[in-house]
Amino acid sequence: MTKAVKPAAGEARHYIRIKEQILTEIAEGKLQPGDRVSSESELVAAFGVSRMTANRALRELMFEGVLKRSAGIGTFVSPKHLDVDLLQIRNIADEILERGHKHKAAIVAVGLMKADANVADALELTLGAQVMHSLIVHMENDQPIQVEERYVNPLVAPDYLSTDFHSMTPHEYLTKVAPITAFEHIVQAVKPDTAVRKYLGLKNDYPCLRVFRRTWSGEAVVTCALLYYPGAQYRLEARSTKGPPKPVAILGEKK
Amino acid sequence: MTKAVKPAAGEARHYIRIKEQILTEIAEGKLQPGDRVSSESELVAAFGVSRMTANRALRELMFEGVLKRSAGIGTFVSPKHLDVDLLQIRNIADEILERGHKHKAAIVAVGLMKADANVADALELTLGAQVMHSLIVHMENDQPIQVEERYVNPLVAPDYLSTDFHSMTPHEYLTKVAPITAFEHIVQAVKPDTAVRKYLGLKNDYPCLRVFRRTWSGEAVVTCALLYYPGAQYRLEARSTKGPPKPVAILGEKK
DNA sequence: CCGCCCCACCTGTATATACAGGCTAGCCGC
DNA sequence: GCGGCTAGCCTGTATATACAGGTGGGGCGG
């Protein structure tokens, strides 16, 4: 018995190394949804850890929705759920990176403009006030997956326009400048207009989720954004006091 | 040392009992946000379990956002259990009545059926278990505005099928029988299939919001519903501490 | 050939123990 | 009086071990 010792200082914890390896293999496609993952005892042999450590790695990945486990059978990769959101606003770049893919932003337009009635209303500014505007297409592995049109309140984030959106998403920048204290989402199914179709490379009648999102920081509206997701899912959950938020079953296009 | 033994058959697992007690004390207000929770070794003494078991209970509650922990200091109740009140599920009949319109339900199908894989998974029942099913079209001023296909867990609401859905919506009945403690929504933009198109009287390529909703009452899944809304909006908001989420501007099909 | 039982493998839970490292209060020496 | 050291409490991680209960396959007996 090799009496496996604590990881040397600076090394990642054992259970984290196991989680990372499994996540890597999923990201690289070596493990596909539905595939069987190494059992606890196989991980014990492979990593030289105790079963409790392997158990913890797998159990946490189950909590996180990555794996499904059932006693007597084994551990399996969950069906991919690209959930756009879960009650907190997530950064699309992070989500893409978590899936092990490459994020790129194509900047279509950035500049100043005068608020029309809709924009002024949404940002709670007066008609004709100067607002900042950006139109960005987010790509996952060079495939467009989100059109983001954003209007920003210059009183809250005056330096917005000088951000390098290739290295930092608008959302990332704004949450750094002004932490979100409230948000509002309005979700609709729409037929995208020709411009959006072009950006996303969609056929004519492909339905899109359109999310209209406003965020506040204290009393002020920071920004409103129009987000178009082709065929995406938009997920949220909540619980009142206890209650178990369980993983996800999709209940597909039944029959 | 009392050589604490496995819990007797039927009893809840030790770590679950600890979690439940803490959650109960939070629910009853004995523990307020920011309060210090018993340390692992105090729980060891109080429950007669090993520290690993107490650790698991606290760690999972941290994962679930209920507690915050920091080494050397202790474990504390997290501020704010996200504002679920704002995210309440509303009854479509009430909404229609609030708009001053007339609500009517057209009952397409009601009955028992065996759960297929998708339904069993969603309701957390075994494959082939009997579930109750209903398919209802909701009308606003005789215009169809929602298709509601619902699967109900008979263990929770055995009398579901004998409800008169003309005078009470399924949702209304179910919330009376089993108060909701958690829910999950998955929203997608879809092209509805021919059946749904027929019920809603839609043209071919009209995009629809499809909401897949599950609700829990305690540990049990009460129901899962597939809701189709033609061109509807689906709105949610939340705030973290204060922050004013104001009414809505739509920022329509701009340009 | 069919059915039943048992065994091998898997996860779920629990225990006792150990070492690490963060944090704080209090003591002790200068 | 003040600064530094230490003891004690706390969480974080890891190990070896044990028993439970679900699942499926193979072998054996009728």
Side-chain angles (χ1 to χ4, degrees):
Chain A
M1 186 96 356
T2 48
K3 198 43 107 182
V5 154
K6 301 282 140 53
E11 275 183 31
R13 305 296 182 227
H14 289 158
Y15 79 98
I16 290 181
R17 289 208 348 259
I18 297 176
K19 287 176 70 175
E20 281 173 352
Q21 188 193 304
I22 292 172
L23 286 172
T24 302
E25 289 186 4
I26 292 174
E28 290 173 351
K30 284 186 210 160
L31 284 173
Q32 296 287 328
D35 282 2
R36 186 175 169 286
V37 177
S38 307
S39 74
E40 296 183 359
S41 39
E42 286 165 355
L43 292 174
V44 167
F47 285 85
V49 297
S50 79
R51 188 165 83 90
M52 281 308 297
T53 301
N55 175 278
R56 176 169 180 182
L58 295 180
R59 183 152 37 84
E60 290 193 3
L61 287 174
M62 182 189 61
F63 263 95
E64 293 161 21
V66 177
L67 303 178
K68 278 185 190 285
R69 318 190 71 194
S70 44
I73 310 283
T75 302
F76 303 86
V77 179
S78 288
K80 191 201 282 219
H81 56 92
L82 22 147
D83 44 1
V84 174
D85 203 354
L86 86 167
L87 198 52
Q88 58 190 346
I89 298 181
R90 304 202 52 212
N91 186 349
I92 189 164
D94 292 343
E95 273 192 58
I96 292 173
L97 293 178
E98 269 172 32
R99 289 201 284 269
H101 292 167
K102 189 163 56 79
H103 170 258
K104 207 170 69 180
I107 297 166
V108 179
V110 168
L112 282 168
M113 58 174 286
K114 286 199 189 304
D116 65 19
N118 281 332
V119 173
D121 200 20
L123 292 182
E124 296 173 3
L125 296 172
T126 57
L127 192 66
Q130 268 213 335
V131 299
M132 300 180 293
H133 169 258
S134 62
L135 179 55
I136 294 177
V137 181
H138 293 278
M139 328 278 263
E140 176 169 2
N141 284 350
D142 299 315
Q143 188 89 21
I145 62 156
Q146 185 199 83
V147 172
E148 170 193 347
E149 176 151 39
R150 188 180 287 275
Y151 301 88
V152 177
N153 185 339
L155 302 175
V156 179
D159 299 329
Y160 177 71
L161 291 181
S162 45
T163 311
D164 173 18
F165 295 123
H166 293 294
S167 62
M168 181 182 261
T169 62
H171 174 257
E172 209 170 340
Y173 172 76
L174 289 170
T175 48
K176 215 173 61 178
V177 174
I180 295 172
T181 59
F183 66 80
E184 172 195 65
H185 284 183
I186 300 175
V187 186
Q188 277 183 302
V190 298
K191 275 196 291 184
D193 61 23
T194 52
V196 171
R197 275 209 303 276
K198 192 187 72 185
Y199 296 138
L200 292 175
L202 296 180
K203 284 198 294 259
N204 249 341
D205 61 345
Y206 199 89
C208 243
L209 264 194
R210 190 182 70 169
V211 178
F212 171 71
R213 175 199 290 164
R214 291 198 293 171
T215 62
W216 280 258
S217 187
E219 298 294 309
V221 181
V222 178
T223 181
C224 70
L226 271 176
L227 309 171
Y228 292 86
Y229 296 89
Q233 293 174 15
Y234 185 86
R235 170 156 171 258
L236 78 115
E237 59 182 45
R239 52 175 177 277
S240 52
T241 41
K242 37 187 181 182
K246 285 290 179 59
V248 196
I250 293 300
L251 196 63
E253 266 67 27
K254 45 174 310 304
K255 195 162 318 98
Chain B
M1 189 94 353
T2 49
K3 195 46 103 185
V5 153
K6 301 282 139 55
E11 274 181 33
R13 306 298 181 226
H14 290 158
Y15 80 99
I16 290 181
R17 287 205 353 256
I18 298 176
K19 287 175 70 174
E20 280 174 353
Q21 188 194 303
I22 292 172
L23 287 170
T24 301
E25 290 185 5
I26 292 174
E28 290 173 351
K30 284 186 211 162
L31 284 173
Q32 297 286 327
D35 283 1
R36 186 175 170 286
V37 176
S38 307
S39 75
E40 295 183 358
S41 39
E42 287 164 355
L43 292 174
V44 166
F47 285 84
V49 298
S50 78
R51 188 164 83 90
M52 281 308 298
T53 302
N55 175 279
R56 176 170 177 180
L58 295 180
R59 182 152 37 85
E60 290 193 2
L61 287 174
M62 183 189 60
F63 262 93
E64 293 163 20
V66 177
L67 302 179
K68 280 189 189 293
R69 318 191 71 195
S70 44
I73 308 284
T75 302
F76 303 87
V77 179
S78 289
K80 263 307 184 275
H81 321 284
L82 38 141
D83 279 326
V84 175
D85 323 0
L86 292 178
L87 304 175
Q88 273 172 1
I89 297 179
R90 304 203 52 210
N91 187 349
I92 189 164
D94 293 343
E95 276 190 57
I96 291 172
L97 294 176
E98 271 172 32
R99 288 201 284 269
H101 292 169
K102 188 163 56 80
H103 170 257
K104 208 170 71 179
I107 297 166
V108 178
V110 168
L112 283 169
M113 58 175 286
K114 286 198 189 304
D116 65 18
N118 282 330
V119 172
D121 201 21
L123 292 183
E124 296 173 2
L125 296 172
T126 56
L127 190 68
Q130 269 213 337
V131 299
M132 300 180 293
H133 169 258
S134 62
L135 179 55
I136 294 177
V137 181
H138 293 278
M139 328 278 265
E140 174 167 3
N141 285 350
D142 298 318
Q143 188 88 23
I145 63 157
Q146 185 200 81
V147 172
E148 170 194 346
E149 176 150 36
R150 188 180 288 275
Y151 300 88
V152 177
N153 185 341
L155 302 175
V156 179
D159 299 329
Y160 177 70
L161 291 181
S162 45
T163 312
D164 174 18
F165 295 124
H166 293 293
S167 62
M168 182 182 260
T169 62
H171 174 258
E172 208 170 340
Y173 171 76
L174 289 170
T175 49
K176 214 173 62 177
V177 174
I180 295 172
T181 60
F183 65 79
E184 171 195 66
H185 284 183
I186 299 176
V187 186
Q188 277 182 302
V190 299
K191 277 196 289 185
D193 60 24
T194 52
V196 171
R197 275 209 305 275
K198 194 186 70 183
Y199 297 137
L200 293 174
L202 297 180
K203 283 195 298 253
N204 248 341
D205 61 345
Y206 198 87
C208 243
L209 262 194
R210 190 182 70 168
V211 178
F212 171 72
R213 176 200 290 163
R214 290 198 293 171
T215 61
W216 279 259
S217 187
E219 297 293 309
V221 180
V222 178
T223 181
C224 69
L226 271 176
L227 309 171
Y228 292 87
Y229 297 89
Q233 294 173 16
Y234 183 87
R235 170 151 175 263
L236 77 116
E237 58 183 43
R239 50 172 177 276
S240 53
T241 44
K242 40 185 182 182
K246 283 292 181 57
V248 200
I250 291 302
L251 196 62
E253 266 67 27
K254 47 173 307 303
K255 187 171 324 99

